[in-house]
Amino acid sequence: MKKSGSIPDIVIERLPRYYRYLRSQLGKQEKISSRILAEHLSASASQVRHDLSYFGGFGLQGYGYRVEDLCRKIGRILGVEQDRYYVIVGAGSLGKAIANYPIFSEVGFHLSAVFDRNPEIIGSPLAGGKIGDVSELGKYLEDKSVDIVVITAPAEAAQGIADITCGSGCNGILNFAPVDLQVPENVQLRNIHLTDMMLALSYRLQRSGVVD
Amino acid sequence: MKKSGSIPDIVIERLPRYYRYLRSQLGKQEKISSRILAEHLSASASQVRHDLSYFGGFGLQGYGYRVEDLCRKIGRILGVEQDRYYVIVGAGSLGKAIANYPIFSEVGFHLSAVFDRNPEIIGSPLAGGKIGDVSELGKYLEDKSVDIVVITAPAEAAQGIADITCGSGCNGILNFAPVDLQVPENVQLRNIHLTDMMLALSYRLQRSGVVD
DNA sequence: TAGATTGTTAATCGATTAACAATC
DNA sequence: TAGATTGTTAATCGATTAACAATC
């Protein structure tokens, strides 16, 4: 076990990948070495061991890691057995897709509500609830315990939604809108910028195949 | 201008962000300094200048950057004025959402086809075309010129789709399935692992607010 | 000219990899 | 015991930031 309280973001972001692979191997293999685990994740064995050592000694020298054991321990670190709640703001096709995303609930994330600004769809059923009016978002966040606001609204609405979110005591935002949001530093913001990813990917395509 | 041929991935991944902000400022301001640009992107002025210097001198000393000029030049580097084609494999709600994502076409990405394995929806209309049978994916990729395959299929189908993609001469994959795909190293693979992002985000939430 | 801001190099910081003693 | 593999420290590598001469 090493110093806690200072685990780099980049390490935290790899934990779910370890967890996901280990979970897929439950019942298929009893043990796994850092080398084999790394191979399946396109990482290095050294990195796997280094990452895990932030949280303690999970392995057995000369043997490796017990899959079930390591899976459960990483799961606990990530809090997968705890219930957490999220709301979706923006009930377009992307918002609906997220609302129906089946995998979130497997790791403890539950949809609490969906909001939109379009009067024509407010009140419609979605994923077991009804689409709410976005004007009630702030009040909702203040009343209920919501961990994460998922923004699937258009770019021009996203900053306003982020402001309401941060102002209502919710400190987690997952943003799909193609804009860089400004939030207080105590707020955890992650972006999924689809167009950016496509552009960076296609930049590399232009260059590969040729050269060297 | 510095050495080309060795621009780090991490720099390439920031270009779309610069581009996106500059685009939003077209007509709103004539010039912008590295400091102001950085502020809006939660980056440092030094990083902005350093990144841009990989591609040449785009600014004017003592003045800053002309917004229109810089935007056009970064756009050209990213190839936004070129037409590129993608297909979607997996026509569930996420696949449909991507198929209808309005912003891709603004930067030159065009939907070429959508495939699924479910006989009940094969043939149905989607985004101006018809859903094809995934068994025809390989042939399609060999015949047509497709730059990127977007995988929105279930996890257990994703590796097979990736294999067909790589085997048919398409070298770009954007993967939404919650699995780490194995692809040849000449293939450009980017992942959007939604559950992983939620888990890493909520890990940080547990810890913030308290401590220190 | 004086003030501002770039482009670039050097210094710092952080992340990854290598190495190996510990030990199952 | 011999072989394997961890956990951890040190070495390397790469990315970010600082500094400043160039110059508009």
Side-chain angles (χ1 to χ4, degrees), chain B residues 23 31 41 43 58 69 75 80 89-90 94-95 100 111 117 120 124 130 132 136 158 171 181 185 194-195 206 211:
Chain B
R23 206 153 183 262
K31 69 146 222 168
L41 268 49
F58 295 154
D69 190 48
V80 299
V89 186
L94 188 55
N100 292 307
L111 180 60
R117 66 180 175 188
E120 290 184 20
S124 313
K130 276 186 185 174
E136 287 157 25
N171 293 323
L181 301 173
E185 65 174 36
L194 294 177
T195 305
Q206 293 169 23
V211 203

Side-chain angles (χ1 to χ4, degrees), chain B residues 3-211:
Chain B
K3 65 228 162 157
S4 71
S6 65
I7 299 164
D9 258 349
I10 201 152
V11 172
I12 300 300
E13 273 153 27
R14 280 193 292 261
L15 290 185
R17 307 181 67 208
Y18 299 150
Y19 178 73
R20 186 157 36 72
Y21 182 70
L22 289 164
R23 206 153 183 262
S24 77
Q25 295 305 302
L26 284 176
K28 293 190 184 164
Q29 45 185 323
E30 181 89 358
K31 69 146 222 168
I32 194 165
S33 68
S34 58
R35 187 175 59 82
I36 301 295
L37 183 50
E39 243 168 51
H40 287 276
L41 268 49
S42 311
S44 74
S46 201
Q47 182 169 78
V48 169
R49 295 202 301 279
H50 201 269
D51 283 357
L52 295 179
S53 79
Y54 277 98
F55 303 94
F58 295 154
L60 300 163
Q61 274 158 326
Y63 175 85
Y65 302 86
R66 294 190 48 239
V67 171
E68 199 189 319
D69 190 48
L70 185 58
C71 183
R72 193 178 48 244
K73 280 173 176 164
I74 296 181
R76 192 157 300 159
I77 292 167
L78 291 171
V80 299
E81 79 287 351
Q82 293 165 44
D83 291 317
R84 283 148 303 170
Y85 295 89
Y86 66 101
V87 306
I88 293 171
V89 186
S93 56
L94 188 55
K96 283 181 195 148
I98 305 296
N100 292 307
Y101 197 63
I103 315 189
F104 283 165
S105 63
E106 289 178 22
V107 291
F109 292 111
H110 307 289
L111 180 60
S112 181
V114 181
F115 296 91
D116 202 280
R117 66 180 175 188
N118 180 356
E120 290 184 20
I121 65 169
I122 289 170
S124 313
L126 178 57
K130 276 186 185 174
I131 297 174
D133 188 325
V134 72
S135 68
E136 287 157 25
L137 174 64
K139 188 149 53 79
Y140 188 92
L141 294 176
E142 282 165 18
D143 290 353
K144 310 270 181 174
S145 174
V146 173
D147 300 284
I148 298 175
V149 168
V150 178
I151 300 178
T152 48
E156 79 277 5
Q159 183 64 57
I161 293 163
D163 292 344
I164 291 168
T165 300
C166 304
S168 305
C170 178
N171 293 323
I173 295 178
L174 184 64
N175 173 51
F176 283 83
V179 62
D180 285 289
L181 301 173
Q182 307 290 316
V183 297
E185 65 174 36
N186 67 314
V187 172
Q188 289 292 320
L189 168 67
R190 306 291 151 111
N191 293 290
I192 296 174
H193 288 149
L194 294 177
T195 305
D196 290 16
M197 295 191 79
M198 292 283 275
L199 285 171
L201 170 42
S202 78
Y203 176 89
R204 287 298 185 205
L205 287 178
Q206 293 169 23
R207 273 77 189 175
S208 72
V210 213
V211 203

